[in-house]
Amino acid sequence: MSQAARTYTIEEIAKHNREGNVWIIIDSKVYDISKFANLHPGGTGVLLTEAIAGKDATQAFFGLHRHEVLLRPQYARLQIGTIAGEEPVVKPLAVDEPSGVPYAEPSWLSAGYFSPYYNDSHRKFQRAMRKFAVEVIHPDAVKCEENGKRISQPVLEQICAMNIPAMRLGPGKHLKGRTLLGGVITPEEFDHFHELIVNFEISRFGTRAYVDGLLAGEVIGLPPVLNFGSPDLQATVVPEVLDGKKFICLAISEAFAGSDVAGLQTVAVREGDEWVVTGTKKWITNGVFADYFTVGCRSKDGYVVILVPRSDNVETKAIKTAYSSTAGTAYVTFEKARAPVANTLGKVGQGLQVILSNFNHERWMIICTSLSAQRLVVEECLKWVNQRIVFGRPLSSQAVVRSKLAGMIARVESSQAWLENVTHQMNNMSYAEQSDKLAGQIGLLKQYVTRTGRETAEDATQIFGGRSITAGGMGKLIENFHRTSPYDAILGGQEDVLGDLGVRQAIKKMPKGARL
Ligand code: HEM
């Protein structure tokens, strides 16, 4: 019989209640913490008090630690048995099992609920994607978020083998002949709801910078090549990038011009069959490690977008930002950097349209990833208010806390409904139609979702108190979300500018004869 399979009575545990001989019960499991007490990160004394040593410490434990602490091998081995006749209540989910916490999952994943948008293909895809994300992406995300390094090579190879970078571009010709997620669905089946699932599943770990480090540069930098590059350019660049051999980023924003794209100052001059590019770009996600730069420039014939390869005339410097440097955020300097004229993306003079049409998909992606992170925050808060005892009662017994949760839940549910509607439109519209009909709506939705995100971050911070401002322990996911939620409100277009875009588009589309 293994040690952990032994059973004890509560009376037996009670005998082990002094320094050098301490046992405790957590969720019907018996732990011998006699030696560990001196090493306990929370101090020795707290474990030797009358209320803890030799007693059932379940409530005290879950008021101070995440359950995952007990699953770490060095602590799991402290378990010496269980209490006779009792069963543990806290059980980790199977890797592909949806959370049972209300509102932790969108309703289509919640038992007993329905949705018009998702079919069996989406359901099996979601299960496979969650499993892959939990098993492969999550450990790397936690590690890189902490050490600030680029996504690790073995994980890069695995995500490329699963064709995750290709799927993050949405449905289209680039998926042809590719095996998606080990063959769980065909490229022909793949639609924007599958893509939404990919975005949701990679964003559930409280590792915001890694979500960008997971080749967000490709998600925004490669579509101009796919949609506006010559067939020859596509034939070279697209496979290199989608197979993880080369990295690409989108280089539009400048210290001179952020959301005001028309104000950018980087200049491209024609010299024979080459472009010569000079200027600087700022806040460039994945720029630190990029091999290709999709660059928005001015030329004498108007705006133009050019794919510039890395060379000695391109310098990238990491920018220290509020989130982890795993995202590879760069300040990029082009000093007479050269690119063949064949690398022009779209027509000279129409660069602004190339840039603006590309924004819709980027903004939609940020909406997905932000919303997924907001659901995680709701789940964390619901668990916390349920297990945290204050003034002798669970935190959930406080009306003010419930009121905050009401706001959070309403915000994620309304955002989700709007997002799914927009995604359904995307499934039924061409790229050009999306640019025309959805740009305004996506702008408004992004403004809405990123605002709700920051309100939710504030509310969650109040609910978690001091734990929400420390990077480890109980509130670590809240701390990450609170610190990084402004990114969603800035990247891909600043919130107020996007709301304004939505209203301007609506005004433009007013029927001429509309009168009160
Ligand atoms: C097998 C049992 C236990 C293990 C393995 C354990 C492990 C840990 C670890 C790893 C931390 C560092 C923070 C974190 O990672 O969450 C910690 C902190 C702490 N632990 Fe424990 N612990 C145990 C039992 C207890 C019990 C029964 C108490 C009850 C008083 C307690 C009180 C604390 C306190 C007060 C902190 C500091 C919390 C903070 O900084 O917010 N621990 N413990």
Side-chain angles (χ1 to χ4, degrees):
M1 186 162 59
S2 79
Q3 224 187 9
R6 285 193 59 178
T7 54
Y8 298 90
T9 62
I10 289 176
E11 292 70 33
E12 279 174 282
I13 310 304
K15 292 178 196 147
H16 303 271
N17 63 350
R18 69 196 75 85
E19 194 166 1
N21 181 10
V22 197
W23 292 6
I24 54 168
I25 305 163
I26 303 174
D27 190 27
S28 81
K29 294 175 182 154
V30 180
Y31 294 86
D32 178 351
I33 54 170
S34 307
K35 293 198 183 110
F36 167 70
N38 287 326
L39 308 167
H40 178 229
T44 311
V46 293
L47 299 178
L48 300 176
T49 60
E50 208 186 315
I52 300 293
K55 299 269 165 55
D56 188 326
T58 308
Q59 188 179 308
F61 181 85
F62 285 109
L64 296 155
H65 316 71
R66 299 180 71 88
H67 179 233
E68 69 203 29
V69 167
L70 293 176
L71 306 179
R72 291 183 204 154
Q74 71 270 36
Y75 302 137
R77 76 169 84 97
L78 301 175
Q79 190 191 343
I80 54 166
T82 55
I83 294 296
E86 287 187 15
E87 280 288 319
V89 174
V90 186
K91 289 183 187 140
L93 295 172
V95 271
D96 60 352
E97 191 183 348
S99 169
V101 174
Y103 307 106
E105 307 278 4
S107 51
W108 73 279
L109 287 177
S110 306
Y113 289 82
F114 303 92
S115 162
Y117 299 121
Y118 303 88
N119 56 33
D120 284 348
S121 165
H122 299 113
R123 289 182 189 281
K124 65 180 177 193
F125 183 79
Q126 187 277 333
R127 279 196 300 277
M129 188 60 214
R130 174 144 317 169
K131 187 166 185 312
F132 182 82
V134 170
E135 288 178 346
V136 179
I137 296 179
H138 179 224
D140 199 49
V142 172
K143 197 176 76 194
C144 294
E145 190 82 9
E146 179 76 24
N147 67 20
K149 297 210 173 113
R150 196 195 80 196
I151 174 176
S152 64
Q153 193 59 28
V155 172
L156 175 69
E157 283 162 20
Q158 289 185 71
I159 64 164
C160 290
M162 292 290 145
N163 279 306
I164 289 172
M167 291 192 284
R168 293 194 71 195
L169 297 177
K173 58 186 179 189
H174 58 279
L175 295 182
K176 202 162 175 277
R178 291 185 176 268
T179 307
L180 306 185
L181 213 51
V184 65
I185 60 162
T186 64
E188 292 70 35
E189 277 174 78
F190 190 86
D191 66 16
H192 286 293
F193 281 106
H194 294 98
E195 188 192 356
L196 175 149
I197 291 166
V198 174
N199 285 323
F200 266 64
E201 295 302 330
I202 62 174
S203 317
R204 300 176 60 255
F205 307 126
T207 53
R208 177 63 185 84
Y210 187 86
V211 173
D212 285 351
L214 201 71
L215 310 191
E218 169 257 344
V219 184
I220 57 181
L222 196 59
V225 179
L226 268 175
N227 292 311
F228 301 101
S230 71
D232 281 353
L233 189 69
Q234 291 191 22
T236 323
V237 175
V238 175
E240 282 177 336
V241 171
L242 294 187
D243 296 333
K245 308 270 183 288
K246 292 268 173 79
F247 297 108
I248 190 169
C249 65
L250 182 70
I252 303 293
S253 54
E254 302 181 355
F256 304 101
S259 302
D260 166 24
V261 174
L264 46 92
Q265 294 192 9
T266 296
V267 176
V269 179
R270 278 281 298 258
E271 263 184 30
D273 52 8
E274 282 189 323
W275 285 109
V276 180
V277 177
T278 302
T280 56
K281 296 287 176 182
K282 193 171 177 184
W283 306 288
I284 306 306
T285 303
N286 299 176
V288 167
F289 49 83
D291 303 292
Y292 290 120
F293 302 78
T294 299
V295 189
C297 309
R298 279 172 183 280
S299 77
K300 77 173 181 25
D301 298 314
Y303 293 98
V304 59
V305 180
I306 302 166
L307 184 74
V308 179
R310 189 183 275 273
S311 68
D312 290 347
N313 296 5
V314 180
E315 191 198 358
T316 53
K317 276 191 296 198
I319 304 176
K320 202 166 165 35
T321 67
Y323 74 4
S324 166
S325 54
T326 188
T329 312
Y331 189 80
V332 186
T333 309
F334 299 98
E335 194 57 60
K336 296 200 173 139
R338 289 177 177 268
V341 167
N343 283 18
T344 311
L345 306 175
K347 294 204 170 71
V348 180
Q350 291 182 6
L352 223 46
Q353 284 93 310
V354 174
I355 297 168
L356 294 179
S357 65
N358 193 46
F359 269 142
N360 292 331
H361 183 256
E362 172 177 8
R363 289 170 186 160
W364 174 84
M365 169 190 74
I366 297 173
I367 294 163
C368 294
T369 53
S370 168
L371 186 52
S372 173
Q374 289 179 45
R375 279 209 182 270
L376 178 69
V377 170
V378 170
E379 179 176 17
E380 292 280 300
C381 287
L382 279 169
K383 283 181 177 165
W384 175 240
V385 301
N386 201 36
Q387 77 192 60
R388 172 68 166 166
I389 309 292
V390 270
F391 309 118
R393 292 192 304 169
L395 202 49
S396 61
S397 64
Q398 310 286 337
V400 64
V401 168
R402 293 198 303 271
S403 157
K404 286 195 191 319
L405 279 160
M408 286 183 189
I409 293 167
R411 290 190 290 263
V412 288
E413 287 302 317
S414 54
S415 301
Q416 183 92 31
W418 192 356
L419 171 64
E420 289 177 350
N421 180 326
V422 166
T423 307
H424 181 62
Q425 309 307 323
M426 287 164 64
N427 268 348
N428 289 285
M429 289 183 188
S430 67
Y431 189 75
E433 275 179 306
Q434 289 178 38
S435 301
D436 175 43
K437 297 200 180 114
L438 293 182
Q441 200 167 142
I442 290 177
L444 285 167
L445 175 55
K446 181 168 178 287
Q447 179 196 45
Y448 181 70
V449 168
T450 60
R451 274 202 185 147
T452 65
R454 277 166 313 127
E455 277 173 56
T456 291
E458 277 307 309
D459 284 347
T461 300
Q462 292 308 311
I463 290 177
F464 269 78
R467 286 163 177 77
S468 67
I469 53 169
T470 43
M474 299 295 283
K476 64 181 180 184
L477 303 183
I478 306 300
E479 187 279 333
N480 189 288
F481 186 69
H482 186 257
R483 174 162 46 85
T484 61
S485 52
Y487 279 71
D488 298 329
I490 304 291
L491 302 184
Q494 191 261 356
E495 195 171 82
D496 295 328
V497 174
L498 294 191
D500 188 51
L501 168 77
V503 177
R504 279 189 291 114
Q505 296 269 317
I507 300 286
K508 220 160 77 184
K509 287 181 185 289
M510 288 287 285
K512 280 202 171 45
R515 296 288 182 280
L516 282 178

